Amino acid sequence: MPSRNRTPAAAEPAAAAPVKKAVAKQAAAPKVADATATEATAATKAVAKKAPVKKPSKAAVVVVPAGPDLEQTRRARRILRLLTTRYPDPVLELDFASPLQLLVAAVLAAQTLDERVNLVTPVLFARYPTAEDLATAEPAEMEEILQPVGYYRKKTQIVMKLAATLVERHDGEVPGTFEELVELPWVGRKTANMVLGNAFSVPAISVDTHVGRVAHRLAWGPENDVEGTEAAIAALFDQKDWVSVNLLLILHGRRTCHSRKPACGACPLAEDCPSIGLAGKGELDPEKARALLK
């Protein structure tokens, strides 16, 4: 099985025909799409007047809306197969050996790269292996360890406060429920669901910037709406697939579907993506697109 560090460009198909076909299909029926969108908007407003939709509770992992139609489900399954072929061994790119390590690593990953976090966490957890150790650390010593991740003074305060709360409320253990996790300082929906899915094997969807972007481009979820995207993805896939889908979307966002210039010409989802080309921002040329892969 290929490792996750393999060079993507060596294994990519030419993808020229699917991309051209997808672009042609997209250009051929804009009026139909506009009409469909108008009808859908009108229908949505009508339903909203009859039965206002309640926002998902903060204390719930995800609120699953009414199920998608058969064609949407088939398309989602097809996309899952294609992503699994492209990324056959999806794993979280933050290294951890326990729920505590993942929780702390997730907090440290704010505004920095996972690679930088992975450089410091072995040293951090060797020096402070338990929540009690982290909570009672000498701040100057921890700051020195955390310098490579940036904002090291603030992050030292956060880690120590988080650890102290774990000791005070949970005997130094990371709780295994969404409700308890989001009550911890500096732990929001994204981090709580990341810990549940990857450290506790609980079906959960953690919407980070990559998941939100890819889901929106695939017309799966609203832009910049974490809870709406969670619900949309949850409705398309069985619970047993949630964590895998989550990891695949993260990898696809990092490797192929970039924020500013997605590698559309080398994307396995070209035929199924309504955002192909991204209005001129995406690279459609297969050779140039492969050069953008990470």
Side-chain angles (χ1 to χ4, degrees):
M1 179 176 291
S3 67
R4 66 179 181 184
N5 294 321
R6 63 191 176 92
T7 303
E12 300 307 322
V19 171
K20 290 181 180 179
K21 181 179 177 182
V23 174
K25 182 166 57 177
Q26 185 186 50
K31 294 182 179 180
V32 175
D34 290 344
T36 302
T38 302
E39 292 173 2
T41 301
T44 300
K45 290 181 179 179
V47 173
K49 290 181 180 179
K50 295 180 180 179
V53 179
K54 294 183 179 180
K55 293 184 177 180
S57 169
K58 184 181 180 182
V61 176
V62 64
V63 176
V64 182
D69 61 34
L70 181 59
E71 181 54 36
Q72 290 174 321
T73 301
R74 286 175 174 170
R75 174 174 173 265
R77 292 294 174 188
R78 186 165 59 249
I79 288 173
L80 176 57
R81 289 194 300 271
L82 291 167
L83 288 177
T84 302
T85 300
R86 171 66 69 91
Y87 315 105
D89 187 25
V91 293
L92 192 67
E93 295 192 325
L94 283 174
D95 295 336
F96 68 97
S98 69
L100 175 64
Q101 290 188 9
L102 178 54
L103 181 62
V104 172
V107 170
L108 294 177
Q111 296 179 300
T112 192
L113 300 174
D114 289 355
E115 291 84 352
R116 288 187 175 273
V117 176
N118 291 339
L119 289 175
V120 305
T121 47
V123 180
L124 180 69
F125 296 129
R127 178 68 179 84
Y128 311 108
T130 68
E132 291 87 347
D133 296 325
L134 290 166
T136 58
E138 176 60 41
E141 292 182 6
M142 187 179 292
E143 287 175 3
E144 185 175 354
I145 295 173
L146 297 184
Q147 280 190 20
V149 300
Y151 303 98
Y152 58 91
R153 290 192 177 91
K154 180 63 176 178
K155 288 183 179 180
T156 293
Q157 296 173 10
I158 291 174
V159 170
M160 293 183 67
K161 175 62 176 177
L162 174 60
T165 304
L166 289 174
V167 172
E168 178 185 346
R169 299 181 188 174
H170 304 286
D171 296 323
E173 299 296 323
V174 176
T177 69
F178 180 85
E179 293 81 359
E180 292 173 306
L181 282 167
V182 293
E183 290 300 320
L184 297 172
W186 296 284
V187 176
R189 295 187 68 89
K190 180 185 76 172
T191 299
N193 283 332
M194 180 193 299
V195 171
L196 287 174
N198 294 276
F200 291 104
S201 298
V202 173
I205 299 165
S206 176
V207 178
D208 67 359
T209 182
H210 303 293
V211 173
R213 178 175 67 255
V214 175
H216 178 65
R217 288 177 179 175
L218 290 172
W220 281 354
E223 190 171 15
N224 301 322
D225 182 348
V226 170
E227 295 184 29
T229 301
E230 282 180 21
I233 295 173
L236 286 167
F237 298 96
D238 295 334
Q239 284 193 12
K240 64 180 179 62
D241 294 324
W242 284 3
V243 176
S244 294
V245 171
N246 204 158
L247 294 172
L248 288 167
L249 292 177
I250 292 172
L251 288 173
H252 193 60
R254 288 180 172 175
R255 305 285 193 267
T256 305
C257 194
H258 312 307
S259 177
R260 294 184 180 180
K261 195 175 185 65
C264 298
C267 179
L269 310 183
E271 290 194 60
D272 283 295
C273 182
S275 303
I276 182 74
L278 202 63
K281 295 180 181 179
E283 181 55 70
L284 291 170
D285 181 84
E287 185 175 351
K288 293 180 179 179
R290 283 196 292 273
L292 296 173
L293 297 173
K294 296 181 179 179

